Amino acid sequence: MLSTPAAPTAEDVADELERKKNEQLQKETISAEDFTFELLEDKAPNKYSVKVTYPQKNGLTVHLVLNDEPVETTAGTPILISVLGGSELNFRLIAYNSNGVMVLNSIKKIPTPSDLVISDTVVLNKDTNWKLGRLYLNDDSIVQTKGFPLSIEANKIFARPNAKIMNFSSNEVWGSSQHKMGGAIVIRAKEAAGYLMINLTGAKGKNGRSGLEIENLIGIRKATDGYDGNHGEWDGDEDCTEDRYSGQTRCGIINLRCVSQPTNGEDGEDGPNGVDGENGADGGDTGNLFAQIDNHVNFTLKVSLKPGMGGLGGQGAPGKAGGKGGKAGALDQQRVCKPASNGKDGAPGKPGRTGQVGQPGKVGTIELNGLKNAIIE
Protein backbone atom coordinates (compact mmCIF):
# COMPACT_ATOMS: atom_id res chain seq x y z
CA MET A 1 0.00 0.00 0.00
CA LEU A 2 1.10 3.53 -0.76
CA SER A 3 2.02 5.60 2.22
CA THR A 4 0.17 8.85 2.88
CA PRO A 5 2.37 12.00 2.87
CA ALA A 6 2.82 13.47 6.24
CA ALA A 7 0.77 16.55 6.89
CA PRO A 8 2.86 19.81 6.91
CA THR A 9 3.68 21.02 10.26
CA ALA A 10 2.94 24.52 11.45
CA GLU A 11 6.60 25.36 11.03
CA ASP A 12 6.52 24.19 7.41
CA VAL A 13 3.53 26.41 6.72
CA ALA A 14 5.26 29.39 8.32
CA ASP A 15 8.41 28.81 6.26
CA GLU A 16 6.37 28.61 3.04
CA LEU A 17 4.55 31.82 3.84
CA GLU A 18 7.84 33.53 4.59
CA ARG A 19 9.31 32.27 1.31
CA LYS A 20 6.37 33.58 -0.72
CA LYS A 21 6.50 36.88 1.10
CA ASN A 22 10.21 37.24 0.30
CA GLU A 23 9.50 36.42 -3.34
CA GLN A 24 6.86 39.14 -3.40
CA LEU A 25 9.18 41.64 -1.71
CA GLN A 26 11.82 40.92 -4.33
CA LYS A 27 9.28 41.88 -6.99
CA GLU A 28 8.40 45.05 -5.12
CA THR A 29 11.28 47.09 -6.49
CA ILE A 30 11.68 49.87 -9.02
CA SER A 31 14.55 51.93 -10.42
CA ALA A 32 14.84 55.48 -11.73
CA GLU A 33 15.19 54.04 -15.24
CA ASP A 34 11.63 52.71 -14.97
CA PHE A 35 10.29 56.28 -14.97
CA THR A 36 9.69 58.14 -18.23
CA PHE A 37 9.47 61.93 -18.47
CA GLU A 38 7.93 63.37 -21.62
CA LEU A 39 7.99 67.14 -22.16
CA LEU A 40 4.87 68.40 -23.93
CA GLU A 41 4.30 71.85 -25.47
CA ASP A 42 1.27 73.89 -24.50
CA LYS A 43 -0.12 76.44 -26.94
CA ALA A 44 1.00 79.52 -25.01
CA PRO A 45 4.68 80.57 -25.02
CA ASN A 46 6.75 79.30 -22.10
CA LYS A 47 3.96 76.93 -21.05
CA TYR A 48 4.85 73.22 -20.96
CA SER A 49 3.67 70.00 -19.35
CA VAL A 50 5.65 67.04 -18.11
CA LYS A 51 4.06 63.62 -18.47
CA VAL A 52 5.47 61.14 -15.93
CA THR A 53 4.77 57.41 -16.24
CA TYR A 54 6.07 54.42 -14.32
CA PRO A 55 5.05 50.72 -14.08
CA GLN A 56 2.42 49.67 -11.55
CA LYS A 57 3.64 46.97 -9.16
CA ASN A 58 1.59 45.32 -6.40
CA GLY A 59 2.65 46.26 -2.90
CA LEU A 60 4.81 49.16 -4.12
CA THR A 61 4.06 52.71 -2.97
CA VAL A 62 5.54 55.52 -5.09
CA HIS A 63 5.94 59.15 -4.04
CA LEU A 64 6.93 61.95 -6.38
CA VAL A 65 8.29 65.29 -5.16
CA LEU A 66 8.84 68.23 -7.54
CA ASN A 67 11.00 71.09 -6.28
CA ASP A 68 10.26 70.14 -2.67
CA GLU A 69 6.50 69.97 -3.32
CA PRO A 70 4.72 66.58 -3.24
CA VAL A 71 2.93 65.54 -6.41
CA GLU A 72 -0.32 63.64 -6.21
CA THR A 73 0.07 60.19 -7.76
CA THR A 74 -2.36 57.44 -8.68
CA ALA A 75 -1.02 53.99 -9.32
CA GLY A 76 -1.11 53.08 -13.00
CA THR A 77 -2.16 56.58 -14.10
CA PRO A 78 0.26 58.90 -15.95
CA ILE A 79 0.96 62.14 -14.12
CA LEU A 80 0.62 65.43 -16.06
CA ILE A 81 2.29 68.46 -14.47
CA SER A 82 2.13 72.02 -15.83
CA VAL A 83 5.50 73.79 -15.75
CA LEU A 84 7.08 77.01 -16.99
CA GLY A 85 9.65 77.24 -19.74
CA GLY A 86 13.19 78.17 -18.86
CA SER A 87 13.21 76.37 -15.52
CA GLU A 88 14.96 73.30 -14.11
CA LEU A 89 12.72 70.63 -12.62
CA ASN A 90 14.11 68.62 -9.74
CA PHE A 91 12.13 65.41 -9.28
CA ARG A 92 12.74 63.23 -6.26
CA LEU A 93 11.61 59.63 -6.86
CA ILE A 94 10.76 57.66 -3.69
CA ALA A 95 9.31 54.14 -3.41
CA TYR A 96 8.50 51.79 -0.50
CA ASN A 97 7.69 48.09 -0.54
CA SER A 98 4.84 46.54 1.39
CA ASN A 99 7.10 46.20 4.44
CA GLY A 100 7.60 49.96 4.46
CA VAL A 101 11.23 49.61 3.40
CA MET A 102 12.50 52.37 1.02
CA VAL A 103 13.62 50.75 -2.20
CA LEU A 104 14.18 53.94 -4.25
CA ASN A 105 15.42 57.43 -3.44
CA SER A 106 16.68 59.14 -6.56
CA ILE A 107 16.88 62.60 -8.15
CA LYS A 108 15.93 63.33 -11.74
CA LYS A 109 16.69 66.79 -13.19
CA ILE A 110 14.83 67.95 -16.27
CA PRO A 111 15.45 71.39 -17.82
CA THR A 112 12.57 73.00 -19.71
CA PRO A 113 13.41 75.10 -22.78
CA SER A 114 12.89 78.85 -22.87
CA ASP A 115 10.60 80.42 -25.44
CA LEU A 116 11.25 83.89 -26.87
CA VAL A 117 8.53 86.20 -28.17
CA ILE A 118 9.53 89.22 -30.27
CA SER A 119 6.78 91.71 -31.07
CA ASP A 120 8.70 94.90 -31.90
CA THR A 121 12.32 95.75 -32.74
CA VAL A 122 15.25 94.10 -30.98
CA VAL A 123 18.68 95.63 -31.66
CA LEU A 124 21.74 93.58 -30.73
CA ASN A 125 24.76 95.17 -29.06
CA LYS A 126 26.94 92.06 -28.71
CA ASP A 127 27.45 88.55 -30.10
CA THR A 128 24.22 86.67 -29.40
CA ASN A 129 23.38 82.97 -29.09
CA TRP A 130 19.73 82.03 -28.54
CA LYS A 131 19.06 78.41 -27.48
CA LEU A 132 15.28 78.13 -27.40
CA GLY A 133 12.35 75.84 -27.35
CA ARG A 134 10.19 78.07 -29.53
CA LEU A 135 10.88 81.40 -31.21
CA TYR A 136 7.86 83.58 -31.99
CA LEU A 137 8.50 86.39 -34.48
CA ASN A 138 5.24 88.31 -34.41
CA ASP A 139 3.79 90.67 -37.02
CA ASP A 140 6.23 93.40 -38.13
CA SER A 141 8.84 92.28 -35.62
CA ILE A 142 12.48 93.05 -36.42
CA VAL A 143 15.74 91.60 -35.14
CA GLN A 144 18.61 93.89 -36.16
CA THR A 145 22.07 92.47 -35.62
CA LYS A 146 24.14 95.61 -36.30
CA GLY A 147 26.79 93.25 -37.66
CA PHE A 148 27.09 91.20 -34.46
CA PRO A 149 26.98 87.42 -35.02
CA LEU A 150 23.56 85.91 -34.27
CA SER A 151 23.04 82.18 -33.65
CA ILE A 152 19.52 80.76 -33.23
CA GLU A 153 19.00 77.15 -32.11
CA ALA A 154 15.33 76.32 -31.64
CA ASN A 155 12.94 73.42 -31.67
CA LYS A 156 10.38 75.52 -33.56
CA ILE A 157 10.27 78.93 -35.21
CA PHE A 158 6.98 80.69 -35.94
CA ALA A 159 7.27 83.68 -38.29
CA ARG A 160 4.27 85.97 -38.67
CA PRO A 161 3.69 88.40 -41.59
CA ASN A 162 6.50 90.94 -42.15
CA ALA A 163 8.76 89.33 -39.56
CA LYS A 164 12.31 90.27 -40.40
CA ILE A 165 15.93 89.63 -39.42
CA MET A 166 18.43 92.16 -40.75
CA ASN A 167 21.89 93.49 -40.11
CA PHE A 168 21.84 97.11 -41.30
CA SER A 169 19.50 99.58 -42.90
CA SER A 170 20.59 101.00 -46.26
CA ASN A 171 21.52 104.37 -44.69
CA GLU A 172 23.75 103.10 -41.89
CA VAL A 173 27.49 103.66 -42.04
CA TRP A 174 29.89 101.04 -40.71
CA GLY A 175 32.25 102.14 -37.98
CA SER A 176 34.36 99.06 -37.19
CA SER A 177 35.95 96.16 -39.03
CA GLN A 178 33.37 93.78 -37.51
CA HIS A 179 30.50 95.88 -38.82
CA LYS A 180 32.18 96.17 -42.22
CA MET A 181 32.07 92.39 -42.58
CA GLY A 182 28.29 92.37 -41.97
CA GLY A 183 28.29 89.60 -39.37
CA ALA A 184 26.93 86.06 -39.62
CA ILE A 185 23.42 84.74 -39.03
CA VAL A 186 23.11 81.03 -38.18
CA ILE A 187 19.68 79.38 -37.82
CA ARG A 188 19.20 75.77 -36.76
CA ALA A 189 15.66 74.55 -36.09
CA LYS A 190 13.83 71.25 -36.03
CA GLU A 191 10.75 72.92 -37.50
CA ALA A 192 9.70 76.30 -38.86
CA ALA A 193 6.43 77.73 -40.09
CA GLY A 194 5.38 81.02 -41.67
CA TYR A 195 7.16 83.58 -43.83
CA LEU A 196 10.47 85.06 -42.71
CA MET A 197 12.48 87.79 -44.41
CA ILE A 198 16.23 88.07 -43.90
CA ASN A 199 17.75 91.27 -45.27
CA LEU A 200 21.51 91.15 -45.57
CA THR A 201 22.35 94.77 -46.31
CA GLY A 202 25.91 95.94 -46.10
CA ALA A 203 26.49 99.22 -44.29
CA LYS A 204 27.60 102.22 -46.32
CA GLY A 205 31.21 103.23 -46.41
CA LYS A 206 32.05 106.46 -44.64
CA ASN A 207 32.46 109.52 -46.83
CA GLY A 208 36.00 110.82 -47.07
CA ARG A 209 36.85 114.01 -45.22
CA SER A 210 37.05 117.15 -47.33
CA GLY A 211 40.34 118.94 -47.79
CA LEU A 212 39.01 121.84 -45.73
CA GLU A 213 38.23 119.51 -42.80
CA ILE A 214 41.76 118.15 -42.92
CA GLU A 215 43.22 121.65 -43.14
CA ASN A 216 41.22 122.74 -40.11
CA LEU A 217 42.61 119.75 -38.24
CA ILE A 218 46.29 120.02 -39.20
CA GLY A 219 46.47 123.74 -39.99
CA ILE A 220 47.69 125.30 -43.23
CA ARG A 221 50.56 127.70 -43.82
CA LYS A 222 49.79 131.11 -45.32
CA ALA A 223 51.85 132.37 -48.25
CA THR A 224 54.47 134.94 -47.27
CA ASP A 225 54.15 138.51 -48.52
CA GLY A 226 57.14 140.04 -50.38
CA TYR A 227 59.37 142.53 -48.56
CA ASP A 228 59.06 146.21 -49.50
CA GLY A 229 61.89 147.74 -51.54
CA ASN A 230 64.48 150.12 -50.05
CA HIS A 231 64.01 153.90 -50.45
CA GLY A 232 66.14 155.86 -52.91
CA GLU A 233 68.81 158.27 -51.61
CA TRP A 234 70.24 161.41 -53.26
CA ASP A 235 73.15 163.77 -52.67
CA GLY A 236 74.56 167.07 -54.04
CA ASP A 237 77.14 169.79 -53.50
CA GLU A 238 76.44 172.92 -51.50
CA ASP A 239 77.08 176.17 -53.40
CA CYS A 240 76.94 179.56 -51.60
CA THR A 241 77.15 183.07 -53.19
CA GLU A 242 76.93 186.62 -51.75
CA ASP A 243 74.26 188.94 -53.06
CA ARG A 244 76.10 192.01 -54.17
CA TYR A 245 73.19 194.29 -53.48
CA SER A 246 72.04 192.98 -50.10
CA GLY A 247 75.26 191.47 -48.96
CA GLN A 248 73.41 188.33 -47.88
CA THR A 249 74.83 184.93 -48.58
CA ARG A 250 72.57 182.55 -50.46
CA CYS A 251 73.33 178.83 -50.50
CA GLY A 252 71.93 176.07 -52.72
CA ILE A 253 72.59 172.54 -53.84
CA ILE A 254 74.17 171.87 -57.14
CA ASN A 255 75.23 168.72 -58.88
CA LEU A 256 72.25 166.66 -57.65
CA ARG A 257 72.85 162.96 -58.06
CA CYS A 258 71.28 159.60 -57.01
CA VAL A 259 73.59 157.76 -54.66
CA SER A 260 71.24 154.77 -54.00
CA GLN A 261 68.53 153.76 -56.40
CA PRO A 262 65.21 152.61 -54.82
CA THR A 263 64.78 148.82 -55.08
CA ASN A 264 61.80 146.90 -56.37
CA GLY A 265 59.39 145.27 -53.97
CA GLU A 266 59.94 141.49 -53.51
CA ASP A 267 57.46 139.19 -55.23
CA GLY A 268 54.93 137.46 -52.97
CA GLU A 269 55.25 133.70 -52.38
CA ASP A 270 52.99 131.46 -54.44
CA GLY A 271 49.95 130.22 -52.49
CA PRO A 272 49.94 126.66 -51.06
CA ASN A 273 47.95 124.05 -52.96
CA GLY A 274 44.66 122.90 -51.42
CA VAL A 275 44.75 119.62 -49.50
CA ASP A 276 43.31 116.61 -51.34
CA GLY A 277 40.01 115.16 -50.12
CA GLU A 278 40.10 111.67 -48.60
CA ASN A 279 38.90 108.66 -50.52
CA GLY A 280 35.55 107.27 -49.46
CA ALA A 281 35.65 104.03 -47.45
CA ASP A 282 34.58 100.81 -49.14
CA GLY A 283 31.02 99.66 -48.55
CA GLY A 284 30.28 96.95 -46.00
CA ASP A 285 29.75 93.30 -46.92
CA THR A 286 26.36 91.61 -46.71
CA GLY A 287 27.53 89.08 -44.15
CA ASN A 288 26.87 85.33 -44.22
CA LEU A 289 23.76 83.20 -43.69
CA PHE A 290 23.52 79.55 -42.67
CA ALA A 291 20.11 77.93 -42.27
CA GLN A 292 19.40 74.29 -41.33
CA ILE A 293 15.70 73.55 -40.82
CA ASP A 294 14.61 69.92 -40.66
CA ASN A 295 10.87 70.32 -41.22
CA HIS A 296 10.22 73.28 -43.54
CA VAL A 297 7.08 72.20 -45.37
CA ASN A 298 5.07 75.17 -44.09
CA PHE A 299 7.92 77.66 -44.12
CA THR A 300 9.14 80.21 -46.67
CA LEU A 301 12.38 82.14 -46.39
CA LYS A 302 13.08 85.27 -48.44
CA VAL A 303 16.68 86.47 -48.49
CA SER A 304 17.62 89.92 -49.81
CA LEU A 305 21.28 90.66 -50.57
CA LYS A 306 22.50 94.23 -50.96
CA PRO A 307 26.19 95.07 -50.54
CA GLY A 308 26.90 98.45 -48.97
CA MET A 309 27.73 101.37 -51.25
CA GLY A 310 31.15 102.96 -51.06
CA GLY A 311 31.49 106.32 -49.38
CA LEU A 312 31.86 109.48 -51.44
CA GLY A 313 35.26 111.04 -51.84
CA GLY A 314 35.90 114.25 -49.93
CA GLN A 315 35.98 117.52 -51.86
CA GLY A 316 39.47 118.92 -52.38
CA ALA A 317 40.25 122.20 -50.66
CA PRO A 318 40.63 125.30 -52.85
CA GLY A 319 44.13 126.63 -53.51
CA LYS A 320 45.27 129.35 -51.19
CA ALA A 321 45.97 132.94 -52.18
CA GLY A 322 49.53 133.95 -52.96
CA GLY A 323 51.42 136.45 -50.84
CA LYS A 324 51.16 140.14 -51.62
CA GLY A 325 54.01 141.68 -53.59
CA GLY A 326 56.21 144.12 -51.67
CA LYS A 327 55.89 147.87 -52.30
CA ALA A 328 58.50 149.60 -54.44
CA GLY A 329 61.11 151.58 -52.59
CA ALA A 330 60.14 155.29 -52.35
CA LEU A 331 61.82 157.88 -54.63
CA ASP A 332 64.24 160.31 -53.18
CA GLN A 333 62.94 163.75 -52.28
CA GLN A 334 64.62 165.37 -55.24
CA ARG A 335 63.43 162.62 -57.58
CA VAL A 336 66.78 162.30 -59.24
CA CYS A 337 66.71 158.46 -58.89
CA LYS A 338 64.82 156.13 -61.17
CA PRO A 339 61.45 154.85 -59.87
CA ALA A 340 61.28 151.18 -58.73
CA SER A 341 58.44 148.66 -59.29
CA ASN A 342 56.09 146.94 -56.88
CA GLY A 343 56.65 143.20 -56.39
CA LYS A 344 54.22 140.79 -58.06
CA ASP A 345 51.55 139.00 -56.02
CA GLY A 346 52.21 135.28 -55.66
CA ALA A 347 50.16 132.92 -57.84
CA PRO A 348 47.25 131.18 -56.10
CA GLY A 349 47.76 127.49 -55.23
CA LYS A 350 46.11 124.67 -57.13
CA PRO A 351 42.91 123.15 -55.74
CA GLY A 352 43.19 119.76 -54.03
CA ARG A 353 41.90 116.67 -55.77
CA THR A 354 38.52 115.19 -54.84
CA GLY A 355 38.86 111.75 -53.21
CA GLN A 356 37.72 108.62 -55.00
CA VAL A 357 34.41 106.87 -54.28
CA GLY A 358 34.86 103.71 -52.19
CA GLN A 359 34.25 100.28 -53.68
CA PRO A 360 30.93 98.48 -52.98
CA GLY A 361 30.97 95.69 -50.39
CA LYS A 362 31.07 91.98 -51.15
CA VAL A 363 28.27 89.40 -51.16
CA GLY A 364 28.73 86.82 -48.41
CA THR A 365 28.11 83.08 -48.31
CA ILE A 366 24.53 81.78 -48.29
CA GLU A 367 23.91 78.15 -47.21
CA LEU A 368 20.27 77.02 -47.06
CA ASN A 369 20.84 73.25 -46.93
CA GLY A 370 17.99 72.06 -49.13
CA LEU A 371 15.41 74.60 -48.03
CA LYS A 372 12.82 74.29 -50.80
CA ASN A 373 10.69 77.37 -50.24
CA ALA A 374 13.49 79.90 -50.47
CA ILE A 375 13.62 83.16 -52.43
CA ILE A 376 16.95 84.93 -52.95
CA GLU A 377 17.12 88.36 -54.52
Side-chain angles (χ1 to χ4, degrees):
M1 295 181 59
L2 295 176
S3 60
T4 303
T9 65
E11 184 177 353
D12 292 336
V13 172
D15 290 344
E16 179 64 16
L17 290 175
E18 184 66 21
R19 183 185 66 79
K20 290 183 177 181
K21 181 179 180 180
N22 289 335
E23 287 181 355
Q24 178 61 29
L25 289 176
Q26 289 177 359
K27 295 178 181 179
E28 294 176 7
T29 185
I30 194 170
S31 69
E33 288 70 24
D34 293 326
F35 289 76
T36 61
F37 297 84
E38 183 181 1
L39 190 63
L40 306 174
E41 297 174 348
D42 292 353
K43 291 184 178 181
N46 279 315
K47 298 291 185 180
Y48 288 85
S49 298
V50 177
K51 183 180 179 181
V52 185
T53 57
Y54 58 92
Q56 181 181 4
K57 295 186 177 182
N58 292 332
L60 197 66
T61 302
V62 175
H63 298 280
L64 200 63
V65 178
L66 172 58
N67 297 339
D68 299 326
E69 294 291 334
V71 177
E72 185 176 348
T73 60
T74 302
T77 303
I79 304 165
L80 198 62
I81 308 169
S82 296
V83 296
L84 295 176
S87 59
E88 184 172 84
L89 308 179
N90 291 300
F91 285 96
R92 179 174 291 277
L93 314 177
I94 303 171
Y96 297 91
N97 62 19
S98 55
N99 267 2
V101 176
M102 181 182 289
V103 295
L104 176 65
N105 186 4
S106 180
I107 297 291
K108 177 71 173 180
K109 294 186 177 182
I110 300 177
T112 61
S114 294
D115 296 342
L116 178 60
V117 180
I118 298 177
S119 299
D120 46 20
T121 299
V122 173
V123 180
L124 305 186
N125 57 12
K126 62 180 180 179
D127 298 359
T128 301
N129 184 8
W130 287 335
K131 292 186 177 182
L132 306 170
R134 294 171 289 184
L135 173 61
Y136 297 84
L137 298 170
N138 288 339
D139 300 69
D140 302 312
S141 62
I142 297 175
V143 178
Q144 190 170 11
T145 71
K146 293 292 187 179
F148 292 103
L150 171 63
S151 174
I152 300 174
E153 298 180 48
N155 293 328
K156 293 181 180 179
I157 297 175
F158 300 100
R160 300 286 296 171
N162 295 319
K164 183 187 303 180
I165 299 175
M166 60 186 294
N167 46 11
F168 295 101
S169 67
S170 58
N171 294 323
E172 290 186 85
V173 177
W174 63 265
S176 70
S177 58
Q178 181 186 45
H179 294 165
K180 183 182 183 302
M181 297 174 64
I185 298 173
V186 176
I187 301 175
R188 291 184 172 90
K190 296 177 181 179
E191 182 181 346
Y195 188 98
L196 176 61
M197 294 182 290
I198 297 182
N199 291 355
L200 298 180
T201 301
K204 289 176 60 177
K206 186 178 181 179
N207 293 339
R209 292 180 297 176
S210 70
L212 285 176
E213 290 180 88
I214 299 173
E215 288 179 354
N216 290 335
L217 182 64
I218 66 175
I220 192 71
R221 185 180 64 83
K222 183 181 178 181
T224 303
D225 294 337
Y227 290 108
D228 293 340
N230 297 321
H231 299 323
E233 295 182 7
W234 65 273
D235 199 3
D237 300 324
E238 186 177 27
D239 179 42
C240 296
T241 59
E242 184 179 348
D243 190 323
R244 62 181 180 174
Y245 297 106
S246 64
Q248 293 181 345
T249 301
R250 298 180 183 275
C251 294
I253 303 297
I254 62 174
N255 299 326
L256 296 176
R257 58 192 177 273
C258 181
V259 296
S260 178
Q261 294 285 353
T263 58
N264 296 332
E266 186 181 30
D267 291 342
E269 182 185 18
D270 289 343
N273 294 334
V275 172
D276 295 340
E278 281 184 336
N279 294 336
D282 293 342
D285 302 335
T286 63
N288 305 321
L289 172 64
F290 176 92
Q292 177 70 61
I293 299 173
D294 298 337
N295 183 353
H296 48 79
V297 175
N298 299 314
F299 178 66
T300 299
L301 178 64
K302 181 180 179 181
V303 182
S304 174
L305 299 169
K306 186 178 179 181
M309 299 297 295
L312 300 177
Q315 184 73 34
K320 304 303 175 285
K324 297 292 185 182
K327 295 179 180 180
L331 284 173
D332 59 286
Q333 292 178 347
Q334 299 298 326
R335 294 182 177 274
V336 294
C337 296
K338 295 179 181 180
S341 301
N342 293 329
K344 296 179 181 179
D345 292 342
K350 297 179 181 179
R353 295 190 301 269
T354 297
Q356 297 180 348
V357 177
Q359 295 296 313
K362 300 180 178 63
V363 175
T365 301
I366 309 298
E367 295 184 48
L368 301 182
N369 296 288
L371 193 63
K372 294 182 178 180
N373 300 325
I375 304 168
I376 301 177
E377 61 179 20

